Amino acid sequence: MEQMKTYHRVLTIAGSDSGGGAGIQADLKTIAANGCYGMSVITALTAQNTQGVAGIHAVPVEFVAAQLEAVLADIGVDAIKIGMLFSSDLIYTVAECLKKFEPRPIVLDPVMVAQSGDKLVQDEAIAALKRHLIPMAQLMTPNLPEAAVLLGREISSAEGITQAAVHLADLGCANVLVKGGHLENGNSNDSLYLAAERRTVILPGERIATRNNHGTGCTLSSAIASFIARGESIEQAVRAAKEYITGALKAGASYAIGHGHGPVHHFFRFF
């Protein structure tokens, strides 16, 4: 009998973006574009477009758990990406479900702060994130505002980014990638701290002039999870994902969609 092929399976746990640029929609596009089979657990529905969010409808915690258990009990996963989880109850429920099934590596994108600077999650949720999910993650990928919330201090220099990655690992996460895109000094360098090796890797990044930058954090973390699912190391996965998001930003810059911040071009390698 012929041996059946298998997919590299990636699960995203996040909110739905009706505009298609971020959240579950961006995650599934990214996962597919990077050669993996994508599955989803939707935590919230948003009425959203390129200009902003008009409404949010939270999915009941019990139904989030039902989605998660349905996927893990039957299909299984090779990597998991987790996006915004609004409440402490939701964070606790997701963590308990994941412990039950002992899944593969988790990439945690702690979405907490909007581009406007407003917090997107409850204070209790931030505490729950630190207690229940961060210690379970193989990699955490905060941007500067999110890292500042988690550490309780501002980060305003390249040296501060490097230190923040090290200090965030003290919360129990195996590896930390602090993204430098919000740093106002002309570059977008990221700092990856590999805790087991006590090693810091500085990952250069160029700034790309485009208004089509909606969903970049979702896209990057999903790409990392995809490369991990394909067997890459954390450092290799991060490097490959950064190359992918850079290409998606450059290709997407020449497109016009909507009247605000459009998406990156997730399928730039195909069309």
Side-chain angles (χ1 to χ4, degrees):
M1 183 177 176
E2 183 181 354
Q3 181 70 30
M4 296 293 289
K5 295 185 288 186
T6 60
Y7 294 103
H8 301 298
R9 305 157 299 174
V10 180
L11 171 65
T12 169
I13 305 171
S16 168
D17 173 6
S18 57
I24 289 287
Q25 286 80 356
D27 294 342
L28 291 176
K29 292 174 188 177
T30 300
I31 292 164
N34 287 289
C36 296
Y37 179 80
M39 302 159 288
S40 63
V41 169
I42 299 176
T43 61
L45 307 176
T46 68
Q48 186 174 174
N49 55 29
T50 64
Q51 299 183 81
V53 180
I56 300 175
H57 179 71
V59 174
V61 172
E62 297 78 11
F63 195 73
V64 172
Q67 294 176 73
L68 190 50
E69 292 191 10
V71 171
L72 295 179
D74 176 41
I75 302 171
V77 295
D78 297 303
I80 293 175
K81 173 264 172 79
I82 300 178
M84 187 182 76
L85 302 177
F86 177 76
S87 70
S88 56
D89 286 345
L90 182 56
I91 290 168
Y92 175 77
T93 298
V94 168
E96 289 303 301
C97 285
L98 294 178
K99 289 176 185 176
K100 177 180 176 182
F101 288 93
E102 298 182 356
R104 297 297 179 90
I106 295 169
V107 176
L108 176 62
D109 184 19
V111 181
M112 297 181 295
V113 182
Q115 287 185 345
S116 63
D118 295 325
K119 283 186 181 180
L120 295 173
V121 299
Q122 303 167 345
D123 289 337
E124 295 82 359
I126 295 170
L129 197 69
K130 291 181 180 180
R131 181 176 180 181
H132 299 295
L133 274 183
I134 289 178
M136 295 177 63
Q138 188 74 11
L139 176 70
M140 179 165 59
T141 63
N143 59 27
L144 290 190
E146 291 155 358
V149 169
L150 288 169
L151 292 174
R153 67 169 188 266
E154 292 301 312
I155 304 166
S156 57
S157 67
E159 295 77 13
I161 292 175
T162 300
Q163 293 172 357
V166 175
H167 293 159
L168 284 169
D170 292 338
L171 296 176
C173 188
N175 306 282
V176 179
L177 175 69
V178 178
K179 299 173 290 188
H182 287 76
L183 195 63
E184 297 178 357
N185 69 350
N187 68 49
S188 299
N189 294 352
D190 301 337
S191 181
L192 172 64
Y193 181 63
L194 305 166
E197 304 174 42
R198 296 185 179 179
R199 180 166 64 95
T200 295
V201 180
I202 303 301
L203 300 160
E206 60 179 297
R207 289 191 183 274
I208 299 163
T210 176
R211 72 173 187 171
N212 295 332
N213 55 10
H214 183 50
T216 52
C218 303
T219 298
L220 178 66
S221 56
S222 294
I224 294 171
S226 298
F227 286 111
I228 290 173
R230 290 170 52 178
E232 302 285 2
S233 69
I234 292 295
E235 182 177 349
Q236 290 171 327
V238 170
R239 288 185 182 278
K242 276 185 65 69
E243 181 181 346
Y244 168 74
I245 187 62
T246 299
L249 277 163
K250 287 181 176 179
S254 60
Y255 283 78
I257 184 167
H259 297 88
H261 290 279
V264 304
H265 189 346
H266 293 94
F267 294 105
F268 70 94
R269 289 173 176 160
F270 303 95
F271 68 91

